Amino acid sequence: MSGRIDAHVHLWNRVTDPQPWIDPETMAAIDADFGPVELAGMLADTGQDRAVVVQAGNDLGETGRLLCHDVPVVAGVVGWVDLTGKVDEQLDELGPGRLVGIRHLVHVDPDPDWLGRPDVGASLDRLAARGLAFDLVVRSWQLDLVRTVVQAHPEVRFVLDHLGGIAEAPDEAEWERGVRALAGLPNVAVKISGLAGIVPDAARLARVVGVALESFGPHRLMYGSDWPLANLGAGSVAWRSAVDALIEDLSDDERSAIDGGTASAWYRL
């Protein structure tokens, strides 16, 4: 039994892993350190059992430190390795354990075509060979490239974070077209995450989550809080409540998939 899994949280200690992107004035709610103790409290408040911790920086050292959190509430770690470098050597350095996937901050990479690089593509296949998933954090306008890459690497288990960047999408119709096109590829799942900021817009939230449910189906969707960044919006508790309301009419099996089953299967927890 997988239990209730929050598929997307972050941990950081700013002594070892500074977060220069945090503006102490406009982001005061997350201008702090967040570790396993705080995570356990959030999970208890939202009724979750465990969480998948996701990298916050493109830094191999950070990934190693995240893997050191050997506590029951951490189900696994989606870390970072340089996919333009010697991937197997980096993975060997990290060692076996709770590493379940890799992510690169594609949405802010200086190279808008980074994901389509041949060396990155070869490295994605190495991740598949090692049993690791790849998280996609992208802007909505990058979804066409995402589809091309996902289609070219059918053995890779891809996870699309934050509903494909819908919260910042300038063109919702373009986003919907991109998401529905991706849904035709069986090797990609989607996180209902990164949306705490639009909880007050109930109509928009229902619309975009409805697109995900209709196109991917519950068994390729997974719940994620994006904590502590959720604190910049409505907060993780309000976000959990919003998701509960959106999926209340699904069957027990379908809700169980979103609440942990999909994450467990896709990350092989």
Side-chain angles (χ1 to χ4, degrees), residues 3 7 14 21 23 32 51 69 80 85 93-94 106 109 120 149 151 233:
R14 292 166 302 165
W21 54 275
D23 184 328
H69 292 307
W80 180 88
E93 178 182 339
L94 292 171
V106 176
D109 194 281
V120 170
V149 172
Q151 194 168 29

Side-chain angles (χ1 to χ4, degrees), residues 79-92:
W80 180 88
V81 296
D82 180 4
L83 294 186
T84 68
K86 297 179 179 179
V87 171
D88 285 302
E89 289 185 11
Q90 295 171 80
L91 293 174
D92 289 342

Side-chain angles (χ1 to χ4, degrees), residues 1-6 47-50 256-261 263-264:
M1 184 175 180
S2 61
R4 289 171 64 91
I5 297 171
D6 185 330
Q48 306 300 118
D49 300 313
R50 299 181 295 158
S256 179
I258 293 172
D259 287 338
S264 182

Side-chain angles (χ1 to χ4, degrees), residues 52-177:
V52 175
V53 177
V54 181
Q55 56 91 229
N58 294 340
D59 185 310
L60 193 66
E62 181 210 40
T63 297
R65 287 183 284 276
L66 292 177
L67 290 169
C68 289
H69 292 307
D70 188 11
V71 292
V73 293
V74 175
V77 171
V78 174
W80 180 88
V81 296
D82 180 4
L83 294 186
T84 68
K86 297 179 179 179
V87 171
D88 285 302
E89 289 185 11
Q90 295 171 80
L91 293 174
D92 289 342
E93 178 182 339
L94 292 171
R98 298 192 178 198
L99 189 68
V100 298
I102 296 298
R103 186 175 82 152
H104 179 83
L105 302 180
V106 176
H107 65 314
V108 294
D109 194 281
D111 180 1
D113 297 318
W114 180 92
L115 191 61
R117 289 176 51 155
D119 52 355
V120 170
S123 293
L124 290 173
D125 291 333
R126 291 307 306 149
L127 297 184
R130 303 281 291 242
L132 299 170
F134 184 73
D135 268 44
L136 293 154
V137 54
V138 296
R139 303 298 190 197
S140 60
W141 55 265
Q142 295 174 300
L143 289 174
D144 284 343
L145 174 60
V146 167
R147 185 177 187 277
T148 298
V149 172
V150 170
Q151 194 168 29
H153 301 279
E155 301 303 317
V156 180
R157 286 171 287 117
F158 291 94
V159 180
L160 183 66
D161 293 352
H162 310 330
L163 273 190
I166 181 56
E168 298 86 21
D171 185 340
E172 194 169 304
E174 177 190 52
W175 165 84
E176 180 173 347
R177 178 185 57 77

Side-chain angles (χ1 to χ4, degrees), residues 212-229:
L213 279 167
E214 181 184 317
S215 55
F216 280 87
H219 289 86
R220 283 202 285 159
L221 296 181
M222 57 184 85
Y223 164 82
S225 66
D226 197 24
W227 175 89
L229 278 77

